[in-house]
Amino acid sequence: KMQDDARYLKRIRVKSLSPTTDVAALARKVVEECKLIPISRLPQVEQLLYYLQNRKSSPVEGKVERKEKRAVKPKDLTPFEGMELNEEATITRIEEYVELLYEGIPEKIRGSALILQLARNPDNLEELLHNEAALGALARVLREDWKQSVDLATIIIYIFFCFSSFSQFHAVVSHYKIGALCMSVVEHELKRYDVWREELRKKSKSAPENGSLKRDQDKALRKYQGLLAKQEQLLRVSLYLLLNLAEDTRTELKMRNKNIVGLLVRVLERDDEELLVLVVSFLKKLSIFLENKNDMAELDTVERLARLVPCEHEDLLNLTLRLLLNLSFDSGLRAKMVEVGLLPKLTSLLGDESNRQVVMRILYHVSMDDRFKGMFVYTDCIPQLMQMLYDHGGEEIEAELISICINLAANKRNAQLMCEGNGLKMLMKRALKTKDCLLMKMIRNISQHDGPTKPLFIDYVGDLAAEIRTEEEEEWVLECLGTLANLTIPDLDWELVLKEYNLVPFLKDKLKPGSAEDDLILEVVIMIGTVSIDDACAVMLAKSGIIPALIELLNARQEDDEFVCQIVYVFYQMVFHQATRDVIIKDTQAPAYLIDLMHDKNAEIRKVCDNTLDIVAEYDLEWGYKIQSEKFRFHNNQWLEMVESRQVDEAEPYLYDNDNDRTDLFYSADGITPGDGSVSPDFFGDLQPQNGDSHHGV
C-alpha cells in the first residue's frame, strides 16, 4: 500500500509537547504548517497529540523526569559553521558524492558535507549502511587526511556520529575503527591547543611599543580564536561519538586503557559550554567505576570542576553537580571539595529548586565526616535547612534533608544555631505531633551537647517522659528515652519525673535480657545512670530492685564494652550517694564484679571501675582489703612476668654464639672469664669456694 511506503510518508517532529501544552492549539498549528494534512483531519491530529502527551513511554511523564533526561543528555549536534551548502543532497546521487572523495581537499569537503546531509536524516542511515564503498571511502579519507583539514575531519566524524547515535549501528563504526581514530584526533588536538596557547602567551608577554606590534598581536589573537572555534567543533563531535560508543562497557574499558579520563579532564579548562556539557556527561558516566574515579582523583578533577559551580548554563551546572555527587562517595575527594571552597557554593544552591536534591545529597556526604561538620557554621546552610523543615509543615520530610540535619546536629556549634530563636520549639512541636523518629533523632543529637542548648530542654522533659510507654513504637521510645538520658541538668527533679510518669517499672522491665532490642536496653541503662545523679532517684531505684537486674544484665552482656561501661557507671553513681552505698556494698555482689573488671582491656571501663572501687574501699574496710589484695596480686603477677622475660632475654647471648656485636657490655668475673660470652656456664660449676666463700642458692 502507498501509506506503508516510506517514500510517501511525512514525519513531523513535535519538540514543544509537554504536560502543560495546549493540544488543540498545537493541532491547529500542525495542520496550518503542513500542507499535506487537510483541515478535515484536525480532530484526528488533536487525538494523536493527546495520545503522545499522555502515553507512559513518553519522555514528558513529569517535571522531574523530564529535567533529569534533559540534563543528563548533551544537546544534539547541529551543523557547524563551514558545513552549510547551497545545494540539497539526495540519496539517489550518492555515487557522485563518493567520487568527490577521490579529488582534492575542497572536493572531499564538499562530497562529505553532502553525505552528511543524508546521514543527518535517520531514514537514510539504513541505505548508507549497505553502501560499503561510501563508508570505506569516508573512513579512508579520515584516516589519511584528518591532520590536513579540521573541517574535513569534523564532517566525516559527524557522519559516523550519526550512525553511533543508534546502538544497532555501533558495529559498523567499530568495523572502520573510528573510535580509535577519534581518540588519536582528540589527543593530537589537545597537544596543538597547548602549542597555540604557548605561542600566544609569548606574543602577549612582550609589551608592544608601537602600533604595528599591537596589530600583530591582535591578528594573532583573532587567528587563535578562529582555530579554537573550529577545534572545539571537532572535539565536540569526536567526544560525542566516543560517548555513544561507550554504551558498551567493553568499549569503554578500551577507552580507559587509552587514557580517556586524562583527555576529558584536560578539556575541562575550556570555556565552550556545549563542549563542557559533553565532557562532564562523559566523566559522570565513567565515574561510576572505581578505577576511573581514582584516575579523576589523581588528575585534580575536583579543582577543575569547582569553577563550574555555580554557572549560568543550567544543564552544565546540573551535570557538574551530579558528577561531584558520584565523586563525593570517596572521603579523599570530599575533603578536596571542602578544600577548594565548594561548601559555601553548594550551600548557595539550596534555594535552586532544580538542583536542590542533588546538592543536598553532596552535602549529606560531606556532613558524614566529623572533620567538616564544624565548617557548616561558616555558611548559611543551617538557617536554610531549618527553614526547609519549617516549610514542610505536616508533610513527610525528605530523607536527604533530615539526614543532613541529624549529622550536623552532632556538632555543638551547629546545634546552637539550630536552637536559635524558636528552633527547638518548632522541632519538638513537629516531632511530638508527627512522631517522626528521624526528627527526634536530630533532637537527640542536639540534646547531647553541654552548654546553652541543654537547659532549653527543661520545658520538654514532661512531653518526652510521656512518650516512654510500652504501647509506643520501640524506635520512637528509643529516641525519646535517648534524649532524656542526655539531659544531665543539675536543677532537674528526676524523682518527680519518675513518679509522675511511672517510669521505674518500665525501666526495670526493659533491663531483662531479650526484653527489647539491644539499643533500647542500652538507653535504659544510660537513663538509669543519668537519673541516679539525683540522690532521691538513686534511693528509689535501689529499693525497686534494679541493681540485681543490672548485675544479671552485666552477666549476659559481659563481652559488650558499651553495656559494661554504662552499667559500671550506674554502680559508681549508686556508691557515690550515702543513701545507696550500703545497698550496693552489703546487699549486692556489685563490688565483686567491679574487682573482676579492674583490669579490663578497655581503658574507660578500668577508669570508671577504679573510681567506684576507691569509694568502696574508703567506706568499707573489708572490701578495701580485698581490693588492695587484688591490686597487689595483679601488680605482683605483672612484676614476676617482667622478671621472667628479662631472665630469658639475658640468657639468649649464651644460647647463640657471638650473636651480639657489643661483647664489651657483658659482665666478666674479674678477668677469670672473658667478656665475650664464649665460656660455657658449666665453667662456673667447676670453681671451688675460696676464702671461706660458700655457694648460696638464689
Side-chain angles (χ1 to χ4, degrees):
K1 290 180 181 180
M2 186 181 287
Q3 63 209 41
D4 295 330
D5 193 329
R7 291 176 296 171
Y8 301 101
L9 289 176
K10 169 71 173 177
R11 283 182 170 79
I12 300 170
R13 288 184 171 81
V14 184
K15 295 182 179 178
S16 60
L17 190 62
S18 72
T20 56
T21 300
D22 183 346
V23 173
L26 182 60
R28 284 194 299 273
K29 186 178 178 185
V30 169
V31 171
E32 285 168 13
E33 291 189 5
C34 185
K35 304 303 180 188
L36 299 174
I37 305 175
I39 193 71
S40 60
R41 294 277 188 172
L42 182 62
Q44 287 100 313
V45 173
E46 191 172 328
Q47 185 62 36
L48 281 169
L49 289 171
Y50 182 80
Y51 165 73
L52 287 171
Q53 189 182 42
N54 291 282
R55 68 177 181 176
K56 285 186 179 178
S57 59
S58 170
V60 291
E61 287 176 54
K63 187 176 179 182
V64 175
E65 188 178 344
R66 184 174 73 255
K67 202 169 278 184
E68 177 105 1
K69 289 186 178 180
R70 179 179 59 75
V72 169
K73 188 178 179 185
K75 191 176 176 182
D76 287 336
L77 290 169
T78 52
F80 297 122
E81 187 182 346
M83 293 188 197
E84 304 90 345
L85 291 174
N86 294 327
E87 57 185 305
E88 188 175 342
T90 56
I91 195 73
T92 53
R93 298 177 61 192
I94 184 68
E95 302 304 328
E96 296 176 30
Y97 309 150
V98 173
E99 285 178 15
L100 291 171
L101 298 176
Y102 293 90
E103 306 293 331
I105 293 294
E107 289 78 14
K108 287 176 180 177
I109 291 174
R110 179 168 166 267
S112 57
L114 288 163
I115 296 172
L116 175 59
Q117 273 190 34
L118 299 173
R120 291 190 70 240
N121 182 350
D123 299 338
N124 294 326
L125 288 177
E126 196 78 45
E127 192 165 336
L128 286 172
L129 180 70
H130 295 111
N131 194 328
E132 291 185 14
L135 294 179
L138 286 167
R140 176 188 58 78
V141 171
L142 178 62
R143 207 162 33 248
E144 293 174 358
D145 298 333
W146 67 267
K147 287 185 181 178
Q148 294 183 42
S149 170
V150 172
D151 288 338
L152 181 61
T154 305
I155 294 168
I156 296 178
I157 291 173
Y158 200 150
I159 294 168
F160 284 103
F161 161 76
C162 294
F163 284 99
S164 75
S165 299
F166 300 92
S167 301
Q168 62 265 40
F169 297 143
H170 283 188
V172 70
V173 181
S174 300
H175 173 72
Y176 290 106
K177 297 185 168 35
I178 303 302
L181 205 49
C182 283
M183 290 285 289
S184 300
V185 168
V186 172
E187 190 171 4
H188 176 75
E189 291 302 324
L190 290 176
K191 287 177 181 174
R192 286 178 69 193
Y193 173 71
D194 291 339
V195 172
W196 294 343
R197 264 201 323 183
E198 183 61 24
E199 287 176 357
L200 190 66
R201 189 187 64 80
K202 286 178 181 176
K203 286 186 179 179
S204 58
K205 198 173 180 181
S206 55
E209 296 292 333
N210 53 50
S212 62
L213 280 173
K214 177 68 175 170
R215 282 194 299 275
D216 288 347
Q217 199 176 57
D218 291 342
K219 185 179 176 183
L221 181 60
R222 285 195 299 274
K223 181 184 176 185
Y224 167 76
Q225 289 169 342
L227 290 170
L228 197 62
K230 283 185 177 293
Q231 188 188 66
E232 286 178 344
Q233 291 173 359
L234 177 55
L235 286 174
R236 190 171 161 221
V237 71
S238 301
L239 291 172
Y240 211 152
L241 183 145
L242 290 170
L243 176 59
N244 288 341
L245 293 182
E247 188 179 286
D248 183 344
T249 51
R250 290 169 300 180
T251 307
E252 186 181 301
L253 181 60
K254 290 178 184 176
M255 293 181 194
R256 195 238 163 207
N257 293 336
K258 291 190 175 183
N259 192 32
I260 185 66
V261 176
L263 297 177
L264 290 169
V265 171
R266 285 171 65 188
V267 181
L268 281 177
E269 62 191 38
R270 301 297 184 98
D271 296 319
D272 183 89
E273 289 179 331
E274 291 305 330
L275 178 61
L276 288 171
V277 165
L278 180 60
V279 170
V280 176
S281 295
F282 209 153
L283 285 170
K284 185 175 80 69
K285 182 183 186 305
L286 295 168
S287 66
I288 63 173
F289 292 101
L290 179 67
E291 296 82 2
N292 295 332
K293 183 267 297 177
N294 291 340
D295 288 348
M296 291 178 203
E298 290 175 11
L299 295 165
D300 299 331
T301 307
V302 170
E303 289 89 325
R304 294 169 188 255
L305 291 171
R307 74 181 184 94
L308 303 177
V309 181
C311 67
E312 296 296 323
H313 196 290
E314 191 178 339
D315 289 354
L316 179 56
L317 177 58
N318 187 273
L319 280 162
T320 303
L321 291 172
R322 290 181 182 279
L323 172 55
L324 287 170
L325 174 61
N326 285 359
L327 298 178
S328 69
F329 284 88
D330 183 284
S331 61
L333 290 172
R334 285 201 297 273
K336 187 63 72 176
M337 289 176 198
V338 175
E339 185 185 315
V340 298
L342 271 172
L343 193 55
K345 290 181 175 184
L346 292 168
T347 300
S348 68
L349 291 170
L350 282 172
D352 180 357
E353 194 68 42
S354 58
N355 293 308
R356 178 184 295 171
Q357 193 177 44
V358 66
V359 167
M360 284 206 290
R361 288 174 180 176
I362 300 169
L363 290 175
Y364 167 70
H365 284 162
V366 176
S367 71
M368 286 163 47
D369 198 317
D370 289 336
R371 293 175 296 169
F372 309 130
K373 284 184 173 75
M375 300 193 74
F376 283 82
V377 174
Y378 306 104
T379 70
D380 63 342
C381 183
I382 290 170
Q384 287 192 70
L385 295 176
M386 292 298 287
Q387 185 62 45
M388 286 181 213
L389 286 175
Y390 181 78
D391 291 342
H392 267 77
E395 300 170 17
E396 188 178 349
I397 304 170
E398 300 163 43
E400 291 87 0
L401 173 57
I402 192 62
S403 300
I404 297 172
C405 291
I406 289 168
N407 286 347
L408 294 182
N411 176 271
K412 186 174 182 177
R413 185 71 188 99
N414 289 337
Q416 290 172 5
L417 285 175
M418 289 172 179
C419 293
E420 280 185 0
N422 290 320
L424 183 60
K425 183 179 179 181
M426 181 269 289
L427 293 172
M428 286 297 304
K429 186 178 177 181
R430 170 80 186 274
L432 292 168
K433 181 182 176 182
T434 61
K435 294 195 186 298
D436 187 328
C437 295
L438 291 175
L439 193 56
M440 186 54 76
K441 188 183 286 289
M442 174 187 173
I443 294 168
R444 178 181 169 186
N445 278 358
I446 294 172
S447 70
Q448 72 184 334
H449 304 293
D450 293 324
T453 51
K454 202 164 271 193
L456 298 175
F457 282 87
I458 290 178
D459 296 338
Y460 308 105
V461 169
D463 295 322
L464 291 165
E467 297 298 322
I468 299 170
R469 304 189 299 270
T470 309
E471 307 83 56
E472 293 290 348
E473 187 186 341
E474 193 170 287
E475 189 181 353
W476 171 251
V477 173
L478 170 66
E479 299 305 336
C480 293
L481 189 64
T483 306
L484 274 178
N486 285 334
L487 303 182
T488 50
I489 305 170
D491 301 333
L492 194 55
D493 189 346
W494 280 114
E495 184 188 15
L496 182 64
V497 174
L498 293 184
K499 283 180 178 176
E500 188 170 336
Y501 296 97
N502 196 28
L503 292 181
V504 175
F506 175 88
L507 297 175
K508 188 177 177 183
D509 181 60
K510 292 299 178 189
L511 283 178
K512 296 172 186 172
S515 63
E517 291 291 328
D518 282 358
D519 287 346
L520 181 57
I521 298 173
L522 181 60
E523 282 307 323
V524 167
V525 176
I526 295 170
M527 179 69 179
I528 293 169
T530 299
V531 300
S532 295
I533 297 171
D534 186 311
D535 211 344
C537 273
V539 173
M540 187 193 304
L541 292 169
K543 287 179 179 176
S544 72
I546 264 181
I547 295 168
L550 285 169
I551 291 173
E552 185 184 346
L553 183 63
L554 182 61
N555 278 328
R557 294 282 188 275
Q558 56 188 321
E559 298 302 320
D560 191 318
D561 283 357
E562 187 66 31
F563 266 101
V564 172
C565 193
Q566 294 298 343
I567 292 170
V568 171
Y569 177 73
V570 174
F571 292 159
Y572 169 75
Q573 290 295 350
M574 292 289 184
V575 299
F576 192 77
H577 301 296
Q578 179 70 41
T580 52
R581 200 174 294 151
D582 282 341
V583 181
I584 281 279
I585 294 172
K586 295 178 178 174
D587 299 345
T588 73
Q589 287 299 308
Y593 281 96
L594 291 169
I595 288 173
D596 286 343
L597 292 167
M598 267 170 57
H599 313 300
D600 193 272
K601 61 182 181 295
N602 187 299
E604 285 300 316
I605 293 174
R606 290 200 305 272
K607 183 180 175 183
V608 182
C609 267
D610 285 345
N611 292 339
T612 310
L613 289 171
D614 285 347
I615 298 172
V616 172
E618 189 178 330
Y619 179 74
D620 188 284
L621 293 176
E622 186 180 344
W623 276 113
Y625 176 74
K626 289 179 181 177
I627 292 163
Q628 191 176 17
S629 298
E630 172 58 26
K631 284 183 177 179
F632 175 78
R633 186 192 66 76
F634 179 76
H635 289 301
N636 194 44
N637 282 344
Q638 279 192 318
W639 186 83
L640 287 171
E641 284 174 11
M642 182 186 69
V643 169
E644 285 172 7
S645 66
R646 278 190 179 179
Q647 286 176 345
V648 170
D649 291 342
E650 287 172 3
E652 280 183 0
Y654 297 105
L655 300 176
Y656 305 102
D657 190 29
N658 295 328
D659 195 43
N660 198 311
D661 294 334
R662 296 298 308 275
T663 54
D664 57 307
L665 296 179
F666 293 149
Y667 290 109
S668 64
D670 296 328
I672 298 174
T673 58
D676 60 2
S678 59
V679 175
S680 166
D682 294 336
F683 172 82
F684 294 99
D686 300 331
L687 289 173
Q688 299 299 318
Q690 294 179 5
N691 301 325
D693 292 339
S694 60
H695 290 298
H696 297 282
V698 178

